[in-house]
Amino acid sequence: KAGVTQTPRYLIKTRGQQVTLSCSPISGHRSVSWYQQTPGQGLQFLFEYFSETQRNKGNFPGRFSGRQFSNSRSEMNVSTLELGDSALYLCASSLGGDPYEQYFGPGTRLTVT
Amino acid sequence: AQSVTQLGSHVSVSEGALVLLRCNYSSSVPPYLFWYVQYPNQGLQLLLKYTSAATLVKGINGFEAEFKKSETSFHLTKPSAHMSDAAEYFCAVRINTGTASKLTFGTGTRLQVTL
């Protein structure tokens, strides 16, 4: 099976712009989660989608949003970018049930200037 | 609340030496615990998982971890370190938030392997 794919791998944006990141999960996986990884804060949970519905959300401002399509592919959007949004954004997919084993993509490195 | 704590942000071992990376958990219910590895500029790769079946869990690349309820620990070990083991390692616990779940990660331990 193909693994989790994320596009683009690298992105440079300017403050105030918006960005959309894409994630394609492993075939058959219905759950997609997004994480932000920074040197200072580590790995932080953004949100999870399951069958096109957001069923879990972390403590991030409303500028961070996401969606999931019927084929389980997911996108996350960040509006009005800030310098602090520079991070590695990781997507993970799982079947959705216990034990909640997640498989991660390579990430999208976002740099905000 | 469920959480994990990784002791030691950096660990250095010689090639061939024992690798021991420490993780302690806090949970009021039987936890599901995971170890992930992250190589530079890559995502996280699942090394092994504990799901209450067996307390000694074997994973990929020769790693294993033992669940010790009395010590609330889930330390990761490997008998003999290889240069290729140099990476960052994350311990994680599954948190059940009612109708959903998420993983909460520790702060990570960077493993350095020297000749």
Side-chain angles (χ1 to χ4, degrees), chain B residues 15-71:
Chain B
E15 191 173 37
L18 171 72
V19 175
L20 171 61
L21 304 181
R22 300 176 186 276
C23 173
N24 286 89
Y25 70 90
S26 172
S27 177
S28 56
V29 298
Y32 289 145
L33 295 163
F34 306 82
W35 274 100
Y36 284 85
V37 61
Q38 186 177 33
Y39 298 100
N41 298 315
Q42 294 187 27
L44 279 68
Q45 180 182 11
L46 180 65
L47 277 176
L48 49 80
K49 63 181 186 274
Y50 168 73
T51 59
S52 76
T55 55
L56 182 62
V57 181
K58 293 186 184 299
I60 61 171
N61 302 339
F63 284 94
E64 63 181 37
E66 186 171 8
F67 175 76
K68 292 187 177 180
K69 185 178 178 180
S70 60
E71 300 177 8

Side-chain angles (χ1 to χ4, degrees), chain A residues 18-53:
Chain A
Q18 75 163 15
V19 67
T20 299
L21 311 182
S22 181
C23 171
S24 293
I26 292 172
S27 177
H29 284 192
R30 297 167 65 191
S31 167
V32 174
S33 296
W34 290 88
Y35 295 84
Q36 181 196 65
Q37 186 178 26
T38 59
Q41 300 298 317
L43 279 155
Q44 293 190 289
F45 173 76
L46 279 155
F47 30 65
E48 183 215 7
Y49 286 86
F50 182 82
S51 294
E52 300 180 67
T53 301

